[in-house]
Amino acid sequence: MRFQIRIAIGLLLLMALLATAFSQTSRGTLTGTVIDISGAVVSNANVTIKQQGTGVERQTTSNSAGIYRFDAVELGVYSVKVQAPGFAAEEKTGVEIQAAHTLGINFALTVGGAKETVTVEATGVEVALQTTEQVRGENFSTQTISTLPVLGGDSLTLAQLLPGVSLGSANSINQNGTLNFSVNGQRPRGNNFLIDGVENNDISVSGPAFTITNADAVQEVNIQTADFTAEYGRAGGAVFNQITKSGSNQFHGTAAWVYTGSALDALNHLQRTGGLTDPPRSVQNIPDFTIGGPVVLPGYNGHDKTFFFAAGQWNRFFGHANRQLRVATDSGAATLQALASSCPNAALYLQALGSLRGTPGLNPISIPINVPSGACNGGTRTGVTFDTSQVIRVVPQSALDNNHQIRIDHNASEKQTLSFRWLYDSNTTTPTGVNNLPGFDTNLKGKTLTGAFADTYAISPRMTNEFRFNYGRIGFDFELAAPDTFHGTLPNYTGFGAGVTGFGGATNIPQFRFANNWQYQDTVSLVRGKHTFRFGGDFLRQLARQHPPFNERGSFAYSASTGVSAFANFLDDFGGRTGNLNRQFGSSIYHPNLFRQSYFFQDSWKTTANLTLNLGVRYEIFGQPANTFTVPGFTNYDTVNFAAPHKLATNYGNFGPSVGFAWNPKGGSFFQRMLGGEKMVWRGGFQRSFDASFNNLLSNIAGSSPNTLGGNIGSSIVGRGAARFSSLFAGIAPTPGDKTSAQNNLLLGN
């Protein structure tokens, strides 16, 4: 007997380790009890659900405790019919299934003939109250998404309507247009983003990798902000799950065209102070469409069986990016032109400046460039000033985005349903914004796609299996928009004083991140008496390549010295008191590959007709992608082994228990009525969850000694600082790591 018990426990654990989790299901669950009017349970009652839009049916039977359950139910409105020998059949209509939500619909059968059917509309209390789970959150339906204002067409922004959700910062728009949400005080990076229940997280910054901007293509948005069960994880904040639309027996679709442009704009303060009389011209056209229905082909009629849904959106923006700069006026440029033949830096500035000039009379400043000695044009320079003023640099800008979606759903049999969903987005922005002087701006090329396959199989009336596979591709490439070698290779020059705008490509460009994600999920649901066991595992293999901010071209920073302006020191090539030359050496590309595993076991125990206990545990292994570096771990300034490999241990202790209850105090007693009766649900729970790491931390490690060796030369504090300062740049060499080298970007660990 003991041996058999060990075998049974071992098999149970093995099953838990071979299946999947996460916000595993993007579908819903329907459950309930079947009793007679005396309150006795009715076992082996036949329960049939039928989706109104597609006509697809599923069947099961109630068990010995009178409990029936349908897992992985496609979203939509259903009718539920219960039949049992000796009882009149009862059918409830208007039952709406929502994502990641367990709906409880109970039946009390009356004695009657087999041909009698009692049809009623499901009550608002039955449908609205969540009587089986402790989770906090909200489901935003198709109607809500289509009627409420949605910022940028991104339905995830509806999260701002939930309690406990706030914007993480004043500048809260990331490169994908999705807001950075802080949920219950957690950092935005702690949120988990999914589409149809599978991975959709950017590998470096907060927010999703793929953004659906056609709101008409989204069936529902499920957001869980706290106390979710062990089935959901990788989130210290909230779990965001967008569910894409599917087709039905009727052809349906939408079409829209949104136009915005400068003709509808007013001058802002910056434009008005910059002397503009009209806003820079811009035009944005966003046509989109959706269409869905049954798959009908020659010789094949997909009504009640096979359905399709397609969506497309094309965002075309043509306008301008602008930034206020301080540069030379015509007279200032003439002053430098007179010096250019003998002052290389004056010629360099004029070459970078091109035809750009400061706007006459717009906050003019005359910068003295007098020097007592060492002038680049010989001896001293007295009575000379460099005239500057502000200018709004306006750059033609285009942003072209294509967002496509296709979904196929197939009802293979009463036991099996299959679905495939494909998303593709291509975004090109030229330039992403104004950096400094002409020729030093940045472009963005972004391509993301994801293809997901799901197979739901009802093994028996008591067991359901849901398998998913997802492939996702993330690609964001920020590159210099340099038109020639001069602009593409020039280091960055700053420190001219008096707000004079520097020039050169940004030191953090180029950047890119590419990732290929292969994800496998499988969730098993098993009903035994009053217990519903769900268990599974999620496996994600990520192969990635990333270029972090890396000052590979170098940077020149000039400064003032006693009695001499910073710009004068630049012209004469003196570093000034605090000038600095900097350049990084080493590999600017790293590969943050990982293998992430998640396992869970959950018991939903219906202890009484109105009290459900949810007990579960989740276990996660996030891997250790930081070990792609030789020294990812802090060495505590080790004098001997400073540059020796110092890897980080993988954390194998991420066990997250989840305990909760949902109590519906229905009944006629005074105590039950005082607690709200059948119209009230009391919920509570405790949950421990874990955030995944994000690659911005790894990008910092990539630029930290000793993985990357920096070269740095500072100017002298004596006199005007180091002379022939720029000539020292060629002599910058990697600084060998030692115990004094900065290790502020390494991680603590074993």
Side-chain angles (χ1 to χ4, degrees), residues 33 37 74 149 153 199 201 237 279 333 403 406 462:
T33 57
I37 56 175
E74 293 289 351
E199 177 80 5
N201 293 290
N403 199 296
I406 294 176
R462 309 288 176 263

Side-chain angles (χ1 to χ4, degrees), residues 29 38 260 303 307 443 476 480 488 669:
T29 298
S38 69
T260 59
H303 283 82
F307 312 94
N443 295 337
F476 297 107
L480 290 173
S669 70

